[in-house]
Amino acid sequence: MHRSRLGAVIIDCRTEDLDRAAEFWAKALNRPARKPQDPADGNYRELHTPPGEIAVAVQEVEHQSRVHIDIETDDIEAEVARLEKLGARRVAFVKRWWVMEAPTGQRFCVVRPQRADFASGANEWPG
Amino acid sequence: MHRSRLGAVIIDCRTEDLDRAAEFWAKALNRPARKPQDPADGNYRELHTPPGEIAVAVQEVEHQSRVHIDIETDDIEAEVARLEKLGARRVAFVKRWWVMEAPTGQRFCVVRPQRADFASGANEWPG
């Protein structure tokens, strides 16, 4: 058995000023932006959302600006395999997550649990 | 005073088979797809999310597949004006909502309240 759910909205911004990009979204959504704890994630700004709300982050990217979703899971390999059976395909493994492409064309990521209430709110999938 | 918040994730799919597109996302997120009550919204499938969760819908579109977010509000004109001051611009009024473009390049929509718990969870903006 493993678990997964819709975990985050990631706002990908083609920008040379990540803090300014994050400031717009922080004010638009009224969720203050902060730097991630891990300096290796310096291309992100997390919008501080209360428990129970979907996570939101702003990412500096080199491709065109867009929005993507993250699916959070306690077993990345099992979740990726489940999604492949539904028609998604693996694109690349990056740091700690898989980038995938849906059969409908959108890219999304399969990531480790991001939110503290993950266990109580996630879908359970039989092994 | 008006209120707003991040209301929905809309999965825009360039497809001729909306039900099949919605089926992937319904199974991926474990949220069953259903047709909207209003036949005029036949280009949407709503994924049935429990109270407190962000709304998710799959939309058939003619542009390339992508993901966009909706901001829900009890005063569309006031919310659009607030977002314009932050740097967003109006693109088009469609049916009941404004399509806007963020200064970071993403399009998003400003829509009427979509979720039953809107009033308790929304941000309040002084008039």
Side-chain angles (χ1 to χ4, degrees), chain B residues 36-52:
Chain B
Q37 290 187 317
D38 187 341
D41 294 329
N43 57 321
Y44 288 88
R45 293 293 179 271
E46 299 164 344
L47 301 196
H48 184 57
T49 49

Side-chain angles (χ1 to χ4, degrees), chain A:
Chain A
M1 192 272 290
H2 80 279
R3 291 175 287 197
S4 73
R5 69 171 174 180
L6 173 58
V9 172
I10 313 295
I11 302 171
D12 295 328
C13 298
R14 187 173 194 164
T15 179
E16 294 179 350
D17 189 341
L18 175 58
D19 286 311
R20 188 172 175 186
E23 185 185 5
F24 168 77
W25 289 103
K27 289 182 176 174
L29 303 175
N30 201 30
R31 299 287 179 264
R34 59 185 183 189
K35 294 184 180 180
Q37 290 186 319
D38 186 342
D41 294 329
N43 56 323
Y44 288 89
R45 293 293 180 270
E46 300 164 344
L47 301 196
H48 183 58
T49 50
E53 267 193 22
I54 195 167
V56 181
V58 178
Q59 180 182 198
E60 183 177 333
V61 297
E62 295 185 354
H63 57 67
Q64 66 172 356
S65 290
R66 60 190 183 207
V67 172
H68 78 262
I69 61 171
D70 282 357
I71 291 176
E72 55 181 349
T73 180
D74 55 7
D75 187 333
I76 287 183
E77 188 53 37
E79 179 67 4
V80 166
R82 186 183 74 84
L83 294 163
E84 282 182 313
K85 286 179 190 163
L86 298 178
R89 69 176 183 88
R90 297 176 200 240
V91 174
F93 190 79
V94 179
K95 291 183 183 175
R96 304 174 297 276
W97 59 86
W98 267 103
V99 179
M100 301 194 75
E101 187 168 294
T104 51
Q106 300 85 358
R107 298 219 167 162
F108 63 98
C109 297
V110 179
V111 306
R112 300 190 299 198
Q114 304 293 301
R115 293 186 282 163
D117 67 343
F118 171 77
S120 65
N123 305 296
E124 295 189 358
W125 307 104

Side-chain angles (χ1 to χ4, degrees), chain B residues 47-60:
Chain B
L47 301 196
H48 184 57
T49 49
E53 268 193 23
I54 194 167
V56 181
V58 178
Q59 180 183 198
E60 182 176 334

